[in-house]
Amino acid sequence: MGDRELVPGTLDMLILKAVANGPLHGYAVAEWIHDRSREVLKVDEGALYPALHRLELRGLVASEWGASDNNRRAKFYRLTKAGREHLGLEKERWTRLSSAIGFVMESA
Amino acid sequence: MDTAIVRHRLRYGERMSRQVVREQLLRFAALFRLRRAERDMADELEFHLAMKQQKYMRERGLAGPHALNEAKRDLGGLEKWKEVCRDVGRARPLEDFARDIALASRMLRKTPAFTVVALLTLTLAIGANTAIFSLLNAIMLGPLAVPEADRLAILRVQPDDFGYAFSYPLFKQFEKQTNVFSHVFGFVGRNFQIHGSTGTERVAGQLVSGQYFTALKVNPVLGRYITPSDDRPGTPSGPVAVISERFWKQWFAADRNVLGRRIVLNNVALTVIGVMPKAFKGVNMDEAPDVFLPLEAEPLVDAPYSNIAAGSSAWWFFAGARLRDGVSLARASAFLRAASHAALKATASEPGTRRERYLIAEPGVAGYSYLRLRFEKPLIALMALVALVLLISCLNLATLLMVRAASRERELATRLALGASRARLLRQLLTESMLLAATGTILGLAAAPFLAKLLSMFLRSPQEALRPPLDVAPDLRVVLFTVVVAVVVTLLTGMAPALRSTGRELQQRMRQGSVAIKGAERRHHWPHLILACEVALALVLVTGAGMLGYSLVRLHEVPIGFEPKGLVLLVLEVEKQARDGKALVQAYRDISDRLAALPGVEQVGYVNMLPLMGSWWTGDVAVVGHEQHELFRNQVGPGYFHAMSTPLLAGREFRWNDNDEATRVAILNQAAARVLFPNGNPLGQRLAVDDEKTIAEVVGVVGDAKYQNMRDVAPPTVYSSFAQGVKNKPSYAAVIRVTASPASVISAARAVVRRVMPEIPPPVAMTMDQTIAEHLVTERMMATLALFFAGAALLITAIGLYGTLAHTTARRTGEIGIRFALGAQRGDVIGMVCWENGIVALGGCGLGLSASLGASKFIASFLFSTSPKDPLILASSVVLLIAIATAASLIPAVRAARIDPLTAIRYE
């Protein structure tokens, strides 16, 4: 399971990205990340909800209760304006960082 | 580019601060929807599990319940998940605080005995600390309410034979100097008689020298203040007076035309020239003068006496100064010291007879205060004493909380394992001690003003009714002090137990089961160490209290040379009435005869200087043709020694006809007889008193009696007849030996005085017992409070020893059961349990003894003929503490001895 672990510190960014395209409930966030990573990344569910609550507290996501696809009561998270800005910054930072790591690793 | 980054950062920072605000708001809001939040969390979790369950059923074909279990396992511990979410989410601090308070008060209610003991001890300790602090605060008031008070200095002569007093000629030597001071001023309190609508009243005033007001830089609200040109003898317009705003309102109804009006004080007409603002109280912190007169008016208001005319032999007022700009206090003081030799020599009345003296300047920012001088040190000692009591209370609560927390280890370890953070648990445990401290502080604050009032009565005698009452109302400093105390109490009592019971090893012990926990607990000696410290502190208090108490007993036991019980004193103030000479003596005799005729009165005698009032009179006496001795002097009337029950050893007492028409006579006490006639009979011998020409014949010898205070040995004293050499209308006090109740005699005596001398103010009356009580007020206050607090400390320590032992013994039930099962006898178990406290008590006593001995120098300064290393007191204090430790061990020990081995082991 080792290769499925997230790079530390990236969970918040991934969650923000997951809810960027529209409101999702917690379960869907985990599934979305799992799918989009071509089933490489698996979100630790024990860490997911604390992270979502933390982001909500920081005003980067907002939540409301709604009906899920199978018509159950679920809590949906959506990106706020502040969250979108934050995501932009994080994305930029991540791109810089990963390409930098790439340069290092591919150098002779 | 650079600007862009800066702007970007700014916006980022701005957003961060917005986030912080929002976060706090959310947390706060969440507090009010706590239940909903918990329910939402459960709902969210349930939804997640349901989705996961469906997924597993769908993808892996698992059965419903099986799939649910699988889903739960993915999520990890459910409770842990919730605890983490709680930690992250919503209103942690506030919400937890509210919850902690509720939990803590529930825990405290569950153990009412503990809570009551804790609150009582804290209330007492915090109340006492606040009370003593507010007293200290009241006497250490300052700075003076005058501009640049820090540039003021108080001058005094060293070594201090006369306290802070100055003589007029000495003051005059320095008044005009301008090397280091810009102003030099003198001042002294005086109560004046004024004729009001209800007869003669007293008004508090001050005699002040010319530069007094200019030095203090406070402007009058009306008119002008006294200047050097007013402070001259025989000013053409007569003496002037400056009055206080209070006096202005009370006597002149705040009439703005008061300037130029006359007031008559002590039969002297004075012209009002100004009104000082309410806030101005002068330089003496103990006084609130209503009238200020020039120093030079002293001979007028003191007539027929004159301290100014008495020159260098009268030391009667205080001196202060304002430093010149740029001159430091140290430099001014050094200058004074260098200049004092010449000045003292020029003004000394008896050169060569006194030790070398010099002047110094002390900080005057807080003015002059007799109360501060006399009570600062005792109060600081008391502060240390009550601080010790507070420390003991805190240590006691800490041990009790610690052993209590030991029984909660399981609960705490469980919560730690479930993911609650250590900080969270610490906070919860500290809340309990905080709740105790806060309640104790509130109760203590409520009790403090009452205690402070009680204590301030110790400090102020009822005769000082004209003085302003000590302001012991809690001000900002007192409140701040109490808050700091409360915080310290919380941390002291709560921190150690809380840290210990949430420590890392706890979880390991959890895994090893209850036996391991108990074993580990016994290995921890923290409660015992703290208890030993408690015992040590209690011992310090007990030995200190024992010494102060013993010292007070010694003071009361010491022979004073007269019998204070059943003595009533009546102070007559006759200077301001018209009678003089023979007529005055006759009036005195009338009063004496009428007093003696009152029912319940045995004997009446007059005396000039009442003993133990702090004042005294010395003069040169010589056997004719021999060298002079400086001896104590006094003037007494017929029957005085009989009234005082001072034994007449030889010769006779004075008689009414020992007056100016008869031969001068004198009576010596034994000490004086020894000094003047080392090997001869003094009776019939001739003495030169006061000056060579006044020759008196010794007619009697009486026993030695204490003079100005009880701590010094009875001085050699020469008594003269009160009716001889009388000038200046001397005021005498009548000492009345009564068999009836003093109160009834006092009112009858006042009526007698009113009939014979209606023109003098009602005489001050008191009993000799009261006088002695007041004389020993510091010692009595110290001893009483020390004994009380030592008792409290003993009780608290006993409770701590009992509580801890009861707890640990209860938790050793299983082990003791096994011991019994293995054949231990009851005596062994009792011994074993008692020994636990025995070690603590012995160790504590050792520690306490060395602390007591270390503090002996400090303690010694409060003792009278008692050694701070008195072995009897030290030993009996140790015995007392050991006895108390044993008593505290008995109930747990007996309980342990009654343990039934079978039940105990089965329980385990």
Side-chain angles (χ1 to χ4, degrees):
Chain A
M1 212 158 140
D3 57 339
R4 286 172 154 203
E5 267 171 23
L6 296 182
V7 176
T10 55
L11 178 62
D12 283 6
M13 179 176 74
L14 292 175
I15 291 174
L16 290 179
K17 178 70 185 167
V19 295
N21 298 323
L24 289 179
H25 47 69
Y27 176 75
V29 168
E31 288 294 298
W32 188 87
I33 294 173
H34 187 62
D35 287 351
R36 289 302 160 102
S37 68
R38 297 176 195 156
E39 309 202 348
V40 173
L41 299 177
K42 189 164 159 51
V43 178
D44 173 13
E45 287 155 23
L48 173 68
Y49 285 94
L52 277 167
H53 287 210
R54 199 161 42 233
L55 289 172
E56 185 181 2
L57 207 59
R58 287 168 62 191
L60 300 180
V61 300
S63 74
E64 56 195 290
W65 289 86
S68 71
D69 299 342
N70 54 5
N71 231 0
R72 289 186 65 127
R73 205 172 93 92
K75 194 177 180 186
F76 284 86
Y77 296 87
R78 64 176 171 77
L79 200 60
T80 62
K81 196 163 158 267
R84 199 168 293 283
E85 277 175 42
H86 190 78
L87 178 61
L89 288 174
E90 286 289 296
K91 194 174 166 189
E92 198 180 302
R93 196 175 65 94
W94 174 254
T95 316
R96 262 206 328 271
L97 203 68
S98 57
S99 59
I101 291 173
F103 293 147
V104 173
M105 296 314 291
E106 281 158 26
S107 62
Chain B
M1 175 67 189
D2 279 353
T3 24
I5 289 175
V6 170
R7 203 175 56 224
H8 187 77
R9 279 202 188 133
L10 271 178
R11 282 184 58 206
Y12 192 74
E14 206 179 285
R15 206 170 59 233
M16 286 307 289
S17 62
R18 267 211 311 271
Q19 270 181 28
V20 170
V21 172
R22 184 188 142 83
E23 204 173 311
Q24 290 310 317
L25 281 176
L26 270 181
R27 280 172 195 269
F28 190 71
L31 187 67
F32 298 100
R33 34 188 183 84
L34 204 101
R35 282 223 191 98
R36 223 194 77 201
E38 286 278 331
R39 208 182 56 219
D40 281 358
M41 212 153 68
D43 283 357
E44 192 174 17
L45 172 76
E46 197 189 315
F47 172 75
H48 182 93
L49 288 175
M51 296 297 285
K52 203 77 190 260
Q53 183 187 18
Q54 281 172 17
K55 180 180 170 181
Y56 284 150
M57 286 164 72
R58 199 170 57 235
E59 290 178 1
R60 303 188 191 171
L62 293 173
H66 194 60
L68 186 60
N69 279 343
E70 203 69 11
K72 278 182 180 168
R73 199 163 60 222
D74 281 354
L75 208 53
L78 289 188
E79 278 308 310
K80 177 169 181 162
W81 185 87
K82 274 193 192 170
E83 190 84 53
V84 172
C85 277
R86 276 191 209 115
D87 255 348
V88 167
R90 306 154 323 167
R92 300 306 299 179
L94 276 172
E95 172 206 320
D96 284 349
F97 185 66
R99 205 197 305 229
D100 286 347
I101 294 256
L103 187 66
S105 51
R106 204 158 60 226
M107 294 299 292
L108 290 176
R109 271 202 304 273
K110 262 208 267 179
T111 47
F114 167 80
T115 308
V116 166
V117 167
L119 284 183
L120 271 181
T121 51
L122 281 183
T123 303
L124 174 70
I126 293 175
N129 271 277
T130 309
I132 306 260
F133 182 82
S134 48
L135 273 185
L136 258 179
N137 191 32
I139 69 158
M140 311 263 271
L141 269 183
L144 287 175
V146 305
E148 296 165 73
D150 57 323
R151 299 294 293 161
L152 291 176
I154 299 291
L155 312 185
R156 72 182 295 195
V157 179
Q158 287 279 17
D160 61 339
D161 291 351
F162 301 104
Y164 279 69
F166 265 71
S167 74
Y168 183 77
L170 182 62
F171 173 72
K172 282 288 166 189
Q173 292 276 324
F174 288 97
E175 189 184 16
K176 296 269 156 53
Q177 82 79 37
T178 51
N179 283 315
V180 289
F181 300 123
S182 59
H183 307 86
V184 177
F185 56 89
F187 59 96
V188 62
R190 272 284 189 288
N191 291 336
F192 301 111
Q193 290 175 24
I194 186 168
H195 294 288
S197 48
T198 57
T200 303
E201 291 177 31
R202 290 189 184 88
V203 51
Q206 232 169 48
L207 297 170
V208 302
S209 74
Q211 296 181 48
Y212 181 81
F213 287 103
T214 40
L216 295 181
K217 294 185 174 177
V218 175
N219 289 321
V221 288
L222 202 66
R224 63 181 186 86
Y225 49 54
I226 294 168
T227 59
S229 62
D230 299 305
D231 189 27
R232 275 194 305 234
T235 41
S237 52
V240 297
V242 167
I243 60 177
S244 73
E245 200 175 329
R246 206 173 68 91
F247 189 83
W248 179 45
K249 284 181 178 148
Q250 191 185 332
W251 288 78
F252 294 101
D255 181 1
R256 297 197 71 82
N257 294 322
V258 65
L259 301 181
R261 298 264 294 267
R262 293 271 159 139
I263 51 173
V264 178
L265 301 177
N266 289 9
N267 301 330
V268 179
L270 303 139
T271 311
V272 175
I273 57 165
V275 179
M276 289 308 286
K278 222 181 295 167
F280 183 79
K281 297 275 194 278
V283 184
N284 191 327
M285 281 291 199
D286 307 335
E287 293 174 357
D290 276 330
V291 286
F292 298 88
L293 270 55
L295 200 64
E296 292 287 348
E298 189 268 340
L300 299 174
V301 291
D302 280 358
Y305 285 113
S306 168
N307 280 310
I308 289 182
S312 291
S313 61
W315 296 68
W316 56 284
F317 64 100
F318 309 107
R322 182 175 281 281
L323 295 167
R324 259 185 57 176
D325 288 343
V327 175
S328 72
L329 184 71
R331 212 186 107 200
S333 196
F335 170 84
L336 271 184
R337 189 169 181 164
S340 39
H341 183 72
L344 280 161
K345 200 165 174 191
T347 61
S349 58
E350 14 171 19
T353 61
R354 300 241 173 223
R355 283 168 292 163
E356 187 68 27
R357 292 217 212 95
Y358 55 91
L359 269 79
I360 57 163
E362 291 184 350
V365 60
Y368 169 87
S369 164
Y370 170 74
L371 279 178
R372 186 172 62 221
L373 287 170
R374 176 154 180 212
F375 293 111
E376 184 175 4
K377 208 178 128 204
L379 278 179
I380 285 175
L382 278 183
M383 194 76 232
L385 193 118
V386 290
L388 275 187
V389 174
L390 183 66
L391 192 58
I392 290 179
S393 315
C394 289
L395 292 181
N396 191 50
L397 286 187
T399 42
L400 290 179
L401 280 171
M402 218 181 260
V403 292
R404 221 159 70 102
S407 49
R408 279 169 69 185
E409 277 187 344
R410 228 171 241 277
E411 172 211 331
L412 297 174
T414 312
R415 294 201 52 192
L416 270 178
L418 285 176
S421 65
R422 188 174 180 204
R424 171 82 186 75
L425 290 187
L426 270 183
R427 222 159 46 217
Q428 190 190 320
L429 289 176
L430 274 182
T431 306
E432 223 170 285
S433 33
M434 191 212 66
L435 201 62
L436 282 175
T439 319
T441 306
I442 291 167
L443 292 175
L445 259 184
F450 176 73
L451 288 173
K453 272 231 175 69
L454 217 66
L455 285 172
S456 70
M457 295 203 298
F458 269 115
L459 306 191
R460 274 269 159 92
S461 67
Q463 290 145 38
E464 294 176 284
L466 274 184
R467 297 233 163 139
L470 263 187
D471 182 16
V472 292
D475 60 2
L476 190 68
R477 259 184 295 187
V478 174
V479 170
L480 222 66
F481 168 82
T482 316
V483 167
V484 170
V485 164
V487 171
V488 170
V489 166
T490 308
L491 293 179
L492 262 182
T493 56
M495 212 58 197
L499 279 178
R500 230 179 66 71
S501 50
T502 56
R504 203 165 286 153
E505 75 240 72
L506 182 68
Q507 298 178 56
Q508 289 158 14
R509 274 189 266 139
M510 262 298 280
R511 286 191 212 111
Q512 293 157 11
S514 66
V515 177
I517 288 184
K518 284 172 194 169
E521 190 180 291
R522 234 180 12 259
R523 280 197 302 278
H524 278 277
H525 293 302
W526 270 110
H528 292 140
L529 275 178
I530 296 181
L531 271 180
C533 289
E534 213 180 310
V535 171
L537 293 177
L539 185 73
V540 171
L541 279 182
V542 170
T543 52
M547 281 160 196
L548 289 171
Y550 189 62
S551 163
L552 186 64
V553 171
R554 291 295 296 263
L555 269 173
H556 276 293
E557 273 176 352
V558 68
I560 52 175
F562 57 85
E563 176 51 54
K565 282 211 169 40
L567 262 190
V568 168
L569 313 175
L570 203 64
V571 182
L572 309 172
E573 294 172 54
V574 308
E575 297 93 344
K576 305 295 174 277
Q577 51 87 55
R579 256 182 290 245
D580 203 354
K582 259 192 220 168
L584 181 59
V585 173
Q586 186 55 47
Y588 272 125
R589 185 167 187 176
D590 278 356
I591 291 177
S592 171
D593 289 346
R594 289 180 195 220
L595 288 178
L598 290 176
V601 172
E602 224 168 58
Q603 180 75 43
V604 180
Y606 286 110
V607 61
N608 188 347
M609 296 276 170
L610 271 171
L612 308 185
M613 299 290 266
S615 51
W616 70 95
W617 163 31
T618 62
D620 291 324
V621 179
V623 181
V624 174
H626 290 75
E627 66 164 324
Q628 283 191 337
H629 296 270
E630 194 187 349
L631 300 180
F632 281 72
R633 302 288 315 278
N634 209 344
Q635 270 187 307
V636 303
Y640 170 77
F641 297 108
H642 185 208
M644 294 291 280
S645 302
T646 300
L648 181 66
L649 302 172
R652 63 169 178 90
E653 279 212 40
F654 293 127
R655 298 179 186 134
W656 286 107
N657 56 15
D658 285 330
N659 53 23
D660 282 334
E661 280 130 48
T663 326
R664 278 262 190 157
V665 287
I667 292 177
L668 307 180
N669 70 359
Q670 266 184 303
R674 261 197 306 277
V675 170
L676 295 168
F677 306 98
N679 35 17
N681 181 3
L683 288 187
Q685 301 284 343
R686 282 150 44 85
L687 298 178
V689 291
D690 299 329
D691 56 80
E692 282 87 51
K693 277 164 284 171
T694 316
I695 306 297
E697 185 191 325
V698 177
V699 294
V701 176
V702 293
D704 292 344
K706 299 270 181 185
Y707 200 127
Q708 84 275 32
N709 77 58
M710 284 176 81
R711 290 164 214 89
D712 297 338
V713 290
T717 312
V718 176
Y719 299 93
S720 315
S721 167
F722 97 121
Q724 289 183 330
V726 173
K727 47 186 184 222
N728 297 341
K729 303 179 191 172
S731 283
Y732 286 100
V735 297
I736 310 170
R737 169 70 56 192
V738 299
T739 49
S741 89
S744 65
V745 172
I746 285 174
S747 58
R750 281 216 172 104
V752 165
V753 173
R754 202 160 43 240
R755 260 200 312 281
V756 180
M757 289 192 192
E759 64 280 16
I760 68 169
V764 173
M766 68 214 121
T767 66
M768 197 71 205
D769 280 336
Q770 276 171 353
T771 307
I772 290 182
E774 263 159 43
H775 183 69
L776 297 179
V777 60
T778 317
E779 287 84 355
R780 205 157 38 91
M781 174 177 76
M782 297 281 290
T784 314
L785 292 180
L787 283 170
F788 174 72
F789 286 121
L794 278 180
L795 191 67
I796 294 170
T797 310
I799 290 170
L801 286 169
Y802 164 77
T804 313
L805 192 64
H807 235 280
T808 51
T809 313
R811 289 171 70 79
R812 284 170 76 184
T813 304
E815 175 210 323
I816 291 170
I818 294 171
R819 281 175 195 270
F820 274 131
L822 291 177
Q825 295 300 303
R826 294 226 153 141
D828 302 337
V829 169
I830 290 183
M832 182 184 77
V833 172
C834 283
W835 187 232
E836 202 174 317
N837 267 351
I839 291 183
V840 168
L842 283 177
C845 283
L847 210 64
L849 270 185
S850 31
S852 287
L853 291 177
S856 62
K857 208 170 196 174
F858 179 67
I859 299 174
S861 60
F862 295 101
L863 300 181
F864 172 79
S865 79
T866 307
S867 161
K869 296 174 182 170
D870 188 304
L872 190 71
I873 294 174
L874 291 178
S876 40
S877 306
V878 170
V879 169
L880 184 62
L881 266 160
I882 302 270
I884 281 190
T886 315
S889 318
L890 273 181
I891 297 174
V894 168
R895 215 180 279 152
R898 290 215 189 110
I899 287 173
D900 175 25
L902 274 180
T903 329
I905 296 168
R906 208 174 288 143
Y907 173 78
E908 180 70 17

